[in-house]
Amino acid sequence: MTGNTNGTMRHIPEEELHAYLDQALSRQQCVEIESHLAFCPACRAERDGIAALRDRTTALLATLAPPLRLAPPFDTIRQQHAARTSQRQHRLRSITWAASLVAAVGLGWTASRIVSPDLPERLGSIPYASEAAASRPPAPAPRTAGDSSLARALSAAPAVLAAPDSAAAKAPAVARAEAPRRRPAAVRSDVAADSGRAEARVATPGIRAPAFELSTLGQPSTGPDLELDGVWRTMSWAGAKAEAGDALPHLDGLPVVEVQLQGSREDGGRPLMMVAQQLASGEVIRTFEGPVADISQLLAKRTPTNPEPGALLTDSTGGQPSSTASSSGRARTTMAMQRGDRMLAITGTLPADSLRAMIRRLNAEMRTK
Amino acid sequence: MNDELEQLYQTTYTAVVRFLYRKVWDAERAEDLAQEVFVRALAHRPEKPRAWLFAVAANLARDEARAAVRRKRHLTLLKGDPAAAPATAASADDLVERDEQMSSVHDALDALTPRDREILLLWDAGLSYPEIAAQTGLAVGAVGTTLARARKRLVEAYDRQHQRNHAAHS
């Protein structure tokens, strides 16, 4: 920048003086400039002019300032940040809750249109009642996207008998359709911690403890019992415990009315299990546990005829045969929860909320075993 | 990092408010936006926080300006309706001028090109040449040139304006 002191001197460019005064130059550059200034009055004058310009600019800009106020304490900022983080989490939960609610309601509507136990001849047209029908289109004009995807899942279930792995594969697809905005990272595996809110989860077999909730609102039925397919062995409570051990699905504290098992340990897995328990009101709830495909199929069935009350029941405790839904006239509801490649279900003539609470309790109890 | 941010908050909060004020021209809004900037800094934990703060502030101010333009347009549409005459109550668009000098400086600032104005304001907010360069995409060497030009133009524009005002009053 500076020429030699002996010959013609280059003067310091304007912008360099600005930078110099702004202290934006390196030490080396500063030294060069200062040594030039020592010999060059013209540049000294230029420098003074620029210094004044800088000062005027600063003074003018200083008038463009709001009335001075103290900065609020930094904690205010921290609080706002914390509030926003929890808001985001809450919003995510609300979205998934709403999504699952829409799906559940939609499914109930769809299911009630399909299932009509009063007209046995229509049973043949239930898409998911048999393997043969699985290839048919799943549901009549579903109302929402949630409907069709869940209905499709039910119809897919029987087809799974041939390919046991795909049921689990289909379930995640359904869950994802229900709550598309859900991010996998937000999945919580602790179901018991929820306080009465339904949540749809992505069921990824083998990765976490997933939960997938269906709720099927059936027609009010006079024949309350689900027909139990296959070879069911009625057991005593003790016998069932001996065979299935702690895996028997039941709610602590309620008298057991019946236990039935299908399949055995020799099959390479836990048997399909049904435990009927009686509530104080006299109503019977049934708890099922077994492979996803089997349970799904079971839940999809309805009995074509009304069995005699108690006909399917053998009373292992020696008490009364349980009264059934016919007395209360209420619809029999089912709540199901997927746990890995198995499914837990409760049926009863209770409001969905009660069943949901029960299945959560059941899940929690079973998990601790 | 939390401590660092708190430190920065104490030392630069005022500068951020001022920087924003010169864009949104509303003291309260400037403070709200300034706090927003620091809340976001807590969330993002930027590596170069000082420069980052002003970059975010500039963005917020720009978004604010766009929203204001939309509101203005909306108000203009309503103008035909006598009942909907926009009140003189201050909106964010309204300039709160404290005195004539401020008004003159404001006008002088507006006389600059957007780039010159931005760089001048960033300098006045306390950013270094490298920080200004990084944020504006300018070469470090060009910052001095731009500041030289911006300062000169600001003062010239102010003097012109001031002379005009004086002439009008006399």
Side-chain angles (χ1 to χ4, degrees), chain A residues 230-271:
Chain A
V231 179
W232 288 90
R233 296 170 287 125
T234 303
M235 322 272 299
S236 67
W237 176 248
K241 279 216 82 165
E243 182 165 335
D246 284 338
L248 267 182
H250 70 289
L251 291 164
D252 274 345
L254 292 179
V256 173
V257 162
E258 181 186 26
V259 183
Q260 297 200 342
L261 299 184
Q262 185 185 94
S264 75
R265 285 225 172 107
E266 286 110 51
D267 289 345
R270 290 199 307 276

Side-chain angles (χ1 to χ4, degrees), chain A residues 5-348:
Chain A
T5 47
N6 292 332
T8 44
M9 271 199 285
R10 236 172 31 91
H11 292 293
I12 307 170
E14 183 189 42
E15 57 268 18
E16 248 181 78
L17 285 171
H18 276 266
Y20 168 68
L21 292 170
D22 289 342
Q23 296 181 318
L25 296 181
S26 70
R27 188 78 201 101
Q28 171 67 16
Q29 288 170 302
C30 288
V31 166
E32 284 180 10
I33 287 177
E34 279 152 14
S35 58
H36 174 90
L37 287 176
F39 293 99
C40 180
C43 282
R44 276 203 301 274
E46 181 76 6
R47 180 208 53 197
D48 292 343
I50 289 172
L53 182 66
R54 279 180 84 253
D55 291 343
R56 273 207 80 197
T57 306
T58 305
L60 289 177
L61 287 176
T63 65
L64 296 179
L68 211 67
R69 287 232 297 253
L70 272 176
F74 191 61
D75 271 340
T76 314
I77 307 292
R78 282 211 195 90
Q79 281 168 27
Q80 286 181 42
H81 170 63
R84 201 169 295 181
T85 316
S86 69
Q87 235 178 44
R88 214 174 286 134
Q89 289 170 355
H90 178 81
R91 222 177 289 133
L92 260 176
R93 267 184 251 130
S94 303
I95 286 171
T96 51
W97 182 72
S100 67
L101 200 62
V102 165
V105 168
L107 176 66
W109 182 84
T110 307
S112 64
R113 279 189 52 174
I114 295 170
V115 177
S116 182
D118 302 321
L119 303 167
E121 54 270 24
R122 279 188 60 189
L123 276 181
S125 71
I126 296 175
Y128 40 74
S130 68
E131 267 187 75
S135 54
R136 263 187 259 163
R143 209 154 53 159
T144 67
D147 283 11
S148 59
S149 56
L150 276 173
R152 228 176 286 130
L154 286 180
S155 69
V160 161
L161 287 175
D165 291 331
S166 53
K170 283 194 163 58
V174 173
R176 242 174 268 129
E178 281 181 40
R181 272 174 279 178
R182 207 85 184 15
R183 282 176 288 162
V187 170
R188 294 201 324 252
S189 55
D190 186 9
V191 178
D194 294 340
S195 47
R197 280 191 296 188
E199 294 192 17
R201 294 199 173 118
V202 175
T204 21
I207 294 178
R208 288 174 220 249
F212 177 56
E213 288 188 352
L214 318 158
S215 82
T216 316
L217 303 173
Q219 291 281 356
S221 56
T222 47
D225 299 314
L226 301 176
E227 186 179 71
L228 306 178
D229 240 1
V231 179
W232 288 90
R233 296 170 287 125
T234 303
M235 322 272 299
S236 67
W237 176 248
K241 279 216 82 165
E243 182 165 335
D246 284 338
L248 267 182
H250 70 289
L251 291 164
D252 274 345
L254 292 179
V256 173
V257 162
E258 181 186 26
V259 183
Q260 297 200 342
L261 299 184
Q262 185 185 94
S264 75
R265 285 225 172 107
E266 286 110 51
D267 289 345
R270 290 199 307 276
L272 197 58
M273 298 174 279
M274 189 285 289
V275 177
Q277 290 174 279
Q278 184 167 34
L279 303 176
S281 60
E283 287 174 352
V284 171
I285 56 165
R286 281 186 175 73
T287 320
F288 297 84
E289 206 275 335
V292 172
D294 298 345
I295 300 290
S296 302
Q297 193 182 26
L298 203 62
L299 298 180
K301 285 183 193 283
R302 289 287 185 267
T303 53
T305 57
N306 305 331
E308 294 163 16
L312 286 180
L313 306 177
T314 48
D315 191 353
S316 56
T317 62
Q320 306 284 334
S322 61
S323 67
T324 59
S326 50
S327 52
S328 68
R330 244 195 295 168
R332 191 167 198 85
T333 315
T334 303
M335 192 65 62
M337 180 184 284
Q338 185 167 338
R339 306 164 81 240
D341 58 346
R342 294 180 73 86
M343 193 173 260
L344 196 57
I346 300 187
T347 74

